[in-house]
Every structure is written in C-alpha cells, then in structure tokens.
Amino acid sequence: MDHVLCGLAENPALPSDLVDLLVTIADEDIASNMAWRADLTRAQAVALVSRVEDSAARLAERGLLTAADIDPVAQPLAALALLTEGAGRPEWARLVAADPDAGCRERLAACPGLPTDVAETLAADTAIRVVAELALWTTSDMAARLAEHPHAEVRRAVAANEATPPSVLAALLTGEGLPPARRCLVCDRKETPFVHDPDCAEPDCELPSGASCDGSHESTVHDMQQQALRNPATPAAAVLAFAGHPSMLLRWELAGRTDLPPEVYERLAGSPEPGVRCSLADNPAIDDRLMQRLATDPCDDVRRSLAHNPRVPLDVLTRLAGTVRIGPTPLPRIATATPAEVEELAASPDPAVRTLVAERRDLPSGIRDALAADPDAKVLKSIAPHPGLSEARLRAMVDRHGVRVLVRVARNPDVSAALLEDLVRHRPPVKKAFREVARHPNATALALSACLQDWQARPVAAGHPALPPEVIVELLADDEWQVVEAAAANPSLPLTVMSALVSSRGQVG
C-alpha cells in the first residue's frame, strides 16, 4: 500500500488535474479514499470506476454514477451498486439473477424495487442464503409467501422484515396456521440431534455458536422468535405470552417494546437477569411507578439505563445522579428540561446534579458562568467544553484543578491559541490533552510541535493545517504509516510537493 498516495487521495487541496492523474494510477486503497472526495466530478467518478470497479458502491451512494455510465456486462459490481441505490435498470436485475455467483444474487436480493419476475426467480433460488436475503427486504406479499418456506432460515428472515404483515408475524411466533419447517442450516450440514460446540475446531464451519437441531430446528426457531419480538410490526397481542418465557434473550427483546400493557412491564421487572431489566429501564413506555421501582434496583447498569430514559422524572433522575456513574454525556431528560428546570438543577446543592446540567451546551450565559465558577471539579469538567466561556474562566479552571480538567478545557471550541500552548506545557503532562490540542482548529505550530512528541497525538497533529510546510514534508517519511497518510492528506502540504509525489509515482506505475 502506498500511504503517501492514499493520503493525497483524501487531501482537499489536491487540484483537479492531480486528481485526474491520481485516478489513472489508483489501486483499491487509493480509490477507496478518493471515492469520498467532496470535489470529485462525475467524469472523475466514471474514470475511477473504470479503473477500480470496487469503488462503485460509494460513488453510487453519493449519486455520482448513473445507469448511462455503466456497462452491466463488463462492470457487474458497478451495476449491482446502482441497483442497490435503486438507480439501475430492470434488465440489469434479470442479468444478475442469472449470475452463477450466489454472492452476487444475494446482493441483488437486498436491492429495492426489484421487478416481479426477478423476485420470483430469487424466491426459487437453490441457495438458501439468497432466498433468506430476499425475505429480509422484500415486499409484504412476497414476505407472506416466504413465511411458508420449508427452510427455517428463510422464515427467520421474514420475521425480521418490517414489511411482513402483522398476522404473518404473529403466526411465525406461535407456529399456528403455518406448515412446519422441514430444514434449517444445522440439519442441512449435520446429522441430528446436533449441538454446535462453541469451541468448534472445524476450520470451515459456518454454524453459529450454540446452533442446535433435534429435528425441530430449535435454535433457528428461537432466532426467528427473537427477530419477531424485535420487529415493531409484530402485534402486541401476539407477544404477551413471552413475558414469562425461560429464554432471557426473548424477554430482553420484549422489554424494549413500547406497545405493551403495564402489567407486562411489571412482570419483566422481576426478571433475574440485569440485561432484561436494563432494557426495561431504558424503555420510555414504562410508567413513573415502575421507574421509581427500578431506581432502587441493586444493579448499577439498570439504574444507569434508567438515567438515560427520556421520560424519567426529574426527581428520580436527581436521586440517581449520586448513585451511578453516568459519564460525560448529555442525558435525554436533561436535554429537554425547561428553562425553569435548568435553573433549578444548576442551583442544586448536589454537585452530581449540577454536573448533569453542565453537560448541556446551550445554557444561558449566566448559568454557564456560574457553573464555570463551581468549586467541584466534576462540574467544571462538564462545563469546560461549553462555548462562550472566556479565556480567564478557562484558565481559572486549570489553575484550580490542573490535570482533572485539562482535557475538557482543551476541547472547548473557543479556547485560545495561547492557552492551548500552555496546556501542552503543563506539568505533569496529560496525554489525552495532547490529542485534543492536536485536533483543535486554534492550535498553533508551537502547540502542535509538542503534540508530535506523543505517539497517539502524532497522527492527528500530522494532519493539522497549522503545521509548517517543511514539517509536513518531513513527516511523509515517518516510520508510522498513519502519520504518513495524515501528512499527505494535510491541505497545507505544498502544491509542488503534491505534484511531484503524484507524478513520480505515476511514472513508476
């Protein structure tokens, strides 16, 4: 891999004539980077696909290719890429449906808007993976038909398809009204009864860990039920019986549904597994009484999930604030707090509560500045990245609490160049702060020079446009490929150097 050219392929300052030249020598790695260039023209995209067909998927996704640009016979991957985006031609789908490569047919099966005759062909495919892929994405009518497919793997895919009719999803859960499946991936490959060893040593084994079949295709049926319970189109009445199911995974899926009666949520709250209760605690459909109950759950993860529930009452949330580690993240309930609630939270005597509101980035200036003067370091860490804070307030934070707030101060969008230089000189040094400074748009060459001495910050700093051109050129010969690519992608790399690099490598190629 040529890391210099891979970096140049991403460089936003690379002029159009050098982009043209780079296209002519691109390999898969270079083309992968070029496919996301914001300035790539349609002509360059067509030329890139002609050079490296694998780049078609990204280019089609971006709308840089049209059906007129592609020969489906010579460029089948490009044709598939356009079909995936719904921009291909019907005759292309018929061509791919007859491809001997099951992988191509499988990709086709996931494409939207397939002609009816193509869908029929894929539904009758001899490769189950192709039929299952069709079942996952197809229309309501075809999904209903495939629910009766003799292979359980196809039915599992139908259960995950949100276009599947609710009545069919209910039948898949209960088995009522459907003929029994005759095969699954397990009994296709192994003599039953069979349970797949999680530590299976067979090098070519494709069965999932724990897959089993005793003739009833039980592991696939379980997966099918899990998909149906997760599917929002499955009617609530069809899932109620699973509240007491012995499978923790099925109850876990049920606990995340938002359309169940309160008594079902109450029953799930008694599940012994924390995972089920975590899913329940995060569910905005549970009522306040159940939230009060979950707020006293012995598991930290359950209480943490409840704190992230967008409907958790503020009084419950404030009690949770001091009992679980929530981390530096804005909570949904805090984000929707009213101005009066924000003022009340910011004035709380509990620093854990003030920390929660300090994570908001749209605070009124008075509340923001008051929190910036808070005596508690955790509150300061949360408020430090808030835009609008003066340099004096940011410096005061560092003076008072040093390494405890350094990283978050460096993340502030308004932090001055001078303060960034002081942060990298801080003793003792804070390694994470170097990475924040290295990506900050206000970082100076002096600050970046210090960041280059840290192995984790070095690749980030190598791509910063404030680096002196001569330093960027030196980094092109670095021992670490990440640094080389970042330097080559740096828009401050001199144009003469870019031209020389592309031209010399083009001549070698």
Side-chain angles (χ1 to χ4, degrees):
M1 181 185 296
D2 191 322
H3 295 293
V4 169
L5 290 187
C6 283
L8 285 171
E10 296 183 71
N11 195 315
L14 192 71
S16 184
D17 60 320
L18 291 183
V19 173
D20 289 336
L21 181 55
L22 195 52
V23 167
T24 66
I25 59 174
D27 58 17
E28 289 187 8
D29 298 308
I30 296 169
S32 177
N33 289 351
M34 295 193 75
W36 288 117
R37 288 190 63 89
D39 61 351
L40 201 68
T41 66
R42 179 184 166 192
Q44 290 168 336
V46 172
L48 188 60
V49 169
S50 297
R51 172 77 184 181
V52 182
E53 194 180 353
D54 281 347
S55 63
R58 290 182 177 178
L59 296 171
E61 182 181 330
R62 295 183 57 199
L64 289 175
L65 295 177
T66 68
D69 300 323
I70 298 301
D71 177 351
V73 176
Q75 299 169 299
L77 294 180
L80 260 175
L82 282 171
L83 286 168
T84 299
E85 298 301 319
R89 293 173 175 164
E91 59 268 27
W92 295 2
R94 297 184 181 98
L95 189 68
V96 179
D99 195 303
D101 184 352
C104 288
R105 303 198 304 276
E106 184 179 6
R107 286 183 58 189
L108 176 67
C111 294
L114 291 174
T116 302
D117 60 310
V118 172
E120 293 286 351
T121 298
L122 295 172
D125 202 292
T126 56
I128 290 302
R129 59 192 263 205
V130 175
V131 187
E133 190 69 14
L134 178 70
L136 184 61
W137 303 105
T138 193
T139 60
S140 175
D141 290 345
M142 178 60 79
R145 284 175 49 193
L146 291 175
E148 300 187 14
H149 196 280
H151 204 287
E153 187 67 17
V154 175
R155 299 186 185 201
R156 185 201 63 78
V158 172
N161 188 336
E162 294 186 17
T164 300
S167 60
V168 174
L169 290 166
L172 287 169
L173 273 177
T174 63
E176 296 177 5
L178 294 176
R182 297 198 296 270
R183 298 158 49 208
C184 70
L185 294 179
V186 179
C187 57
D188 278 349
R189 295 168 170 82
K190 303 290 183 180
E191 183 178 349
T192 58
F194 177 82
V195 177
H196 189 226
D197 185 348
D199 299 320
C200 177
E202 295 183 28
D204 57 347
C205 182
E206 297 179 353
L207 290 175
S209 175
S212 63
C213 180
D214 60 5
S216 65
H217 323 298
E218 63 271 15
S219 65
T220 308
V221 169
H222 181 276
D223 290 348
M224 179 183 67
Q225 292 171 330
Q226 191 173 0
Q227 295 294 341
L229 291 171
R230 184 183 303 163
N231 193 326
T234 302
V239 308
L240 301 182
F242 287 84
H245 199 282
S247 169
M248 180 268 290
L249 293 176
L250 298 186
R251 284 182 281 111
W252 194 326
E253 295 295 346
L254 197 62
R257 291 186 64 105
T258 58
D259 56 354
L260 305 182
E263 59 269 21
V264 175
Y265 295 130
E266 287 283 349
R267 185 174 183 184
L268 290 168
S271 293
E273 305 91 353
V276 176
R277 304 198 306 277
C278 280
S279 181
L280 189 66
D282 193 46
N283 189 334
I286 63 175
D287 59 29
D288 290 0
R289 186 171 63 85
L290 186 52
M291 289 189 192
Q292 296 279 359
R293 173 181 169 184
L294 291 170
T296 62
D297 195 282
C299 178
D300 287 350
D301 289 338
V302 173
R303 301 197 306 279
R304 187 177 298 110
S305 293
L306 182 61
H308 286 268
N309 190 310
R311 287 193 58 256
V312 62
L314 271 185
D315 64 320
V316 174
L317 183 55
T318 55
R319 292 202 309 273
L320 289 170
T323 68
V324 293
R325 291 189 61 183
I326 293 170
T329 181
L331 295 177
R333 181 60 182 88
I334 298 297
T336 58
T338 65
E341 289 172 334
V342 167
E343 189 171 351
E344 180 183 348
L345 292 166
S348 171
D350 186 349
V353 175
R354 300 198 301 276
T355 297
L356 295 182
V357 74
E359 285 293 338
R360 280 185 57 153
R361 296 293 172 257
D362 59 349
L363 295 172
S365 58
I367 292 177
R368 176 202 64 202
D369 291 345
L371 290 171
D374 200 282
D376 191 279
K378 290 182 179 178
V379 177
L380 294 185
K381 284 176 64 176
S382 290
I383 199 67
H386 198 294
L389 286 172
S390 67
E391 180 171 358
R393 292 191 185 280
L394 292 173
R395 285 189 178 277
M397 292 182 193
V398 176
D399 291 342
R400 276 184 288 159
H401 295 285
V403 296
R404 299 185 67 184
V405 300
L406 217 64
V407 174
R408 304 301 294 275
V409 168
R411 202 174 292 172
N412 189 291
D414 302 320
V415 64
S416 70
L419 181 51
L420 289 173
E421 290 177 357
D422 288 344
L423 294 181
V424 296
R425 287 194 291 256
H426 190 275
R427 293 294 177 270
V430 179
K431 296 295 185 181
K432 288 184 179 179
F434 285 99
R435 297 198 291 276
E436 296 296 337
V437 173
R439 63 173 60 96
H440 202 290
N442 294 342
T444 63
L446 181 62
L448 293 168
S449 177
C451 294
L452 287 172
Q453 309 310 310
D454 178 78
W455 70 273
Q456 288 184 304
R458 187 175 176 84
V460 184
H464 200 292
L467 272 182
E470 62 273 15
V471 175
I472 302 171
V473 174
E474 290 176 6
L475 292 172
L476 293 173
D478 199 85
D479 293 335
E480 296 294 331
W481 68 266
Q482 296 96 332
V483 175
V484 173
E485 283 199 13
N490 194 318
S492 294
L493 185 67
L495 178 59
T496 54
V497 176
M498 293 186 197
S499 180
L501 290 169
V502 176
S503 298
S504 63
R505 282 163 166 77
Q507 292 171 1
V508 172

